[in-house]
């Protein structure tokens, strides 16, 4: 069974920080790029950040640049999203995803998805 499991979500005040983790299991993810997406109530799923297999290249959405950092530890089959200076508009369910080859900002290009973790940022 291939599984991506997010953790680290919760309730935080505006200006605070959270670190999300996504643990992969069931197979190796060699040459897979990883991504983070989020979806707020009534909104479409939105790209947040992506990282290459090697970790040598990342790309962030304009809405989170300078605040969020994606990273990965392939020895642990884990990808992270460090979220700083959180804003109420960051409130959403955050999803981890994996795709073979290059990363993408488009959800339809990803092969595997986690179940999501709720992040709520209060004013």
């Amino acid at each position: 069974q291939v599984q991506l499991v997010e953790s680290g979500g919760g309730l935080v005040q505006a200006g605070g920080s959270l670190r999300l983790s996504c643990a992969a299991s069931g197979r190796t993810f060699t040459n897979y790029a990883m991504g983070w997406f989020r979806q707020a109530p009534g909104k479409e799923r939105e790209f947040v950040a992506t990282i290459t297999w090697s970790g040598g290249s990342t790309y962030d959405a304009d809405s989170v640049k300078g605040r969020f950092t994606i990273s990965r530890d392939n020895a642990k089959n884990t990808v992270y999203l460090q979220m700083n200076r959180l804003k109420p508009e960051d409130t959403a369910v955050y999803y981890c995803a994996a795709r073979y080859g290059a990363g993408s900002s488009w959800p339809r290009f990803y092969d595997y998805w986690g179940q999501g973790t709720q992040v709520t940022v209060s004013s």
Side-chain angles (χ1 to χ4, degrees), residues 3-5 19 21-29 34 53 71-80:
Q3 189 173 29
L4 302 177
V5 179
R19 188 177 73 164
S21 298
C22 173
S25 63
R27 63 154 292 151
T28 60
F29 283 85
M34 303 294 293
W53 157 251
S71 62
R72 69 192 300 168
D73 184 342
N74 289 341
K76 297 181 178 179
N77 288 325
T78 301
V79 63
Y80 306 95

Side-chain angles (χ1 to χ4, degrees), residues 32-113:
Y32 276 72
M34 303 294 293
W36 286 97
F37 295 80
R38 65 188 184 186
Q39 189 165 20
K43 305 292 185 180
E44 294 185 354
R45 191 162 296 187
E46 175 189 22
F47 169 73
V48 176
T50 188
I51 186 169
T52 59
W53 157 251
S54 68
S57 182
T58 63
Y59 180 74
D60 306 319
D62 288 342
S63 59
V64 305
K65 281 185 178 178
R67 300 189 299 119
F68 292 10
T69 302
I70 187 171
S71 62
R72 69 192 300 168
D73 184 342
N74 289 341
K76 297 181 178 179
N77 288 325
T78 301
V79 63
Y80 306 95
L81 184 69
Q82 179 66 48
M83 305 185 295
N84 298 324
R85 301 190 303 280
L86 283 160
K87 304 174 181 179
E89 52 262 45
D90 295 319
T91 295
V93 177
Y94 282 71
Y95 297 91
C96 172
R99 76 175 298 268
Y100 185 79
S104 175
S105 61
W106 300 104
R108 65 181 180 271
F109 293 146
Y110 284 79
D111 302 306
Y112 303 103
W113 291 84

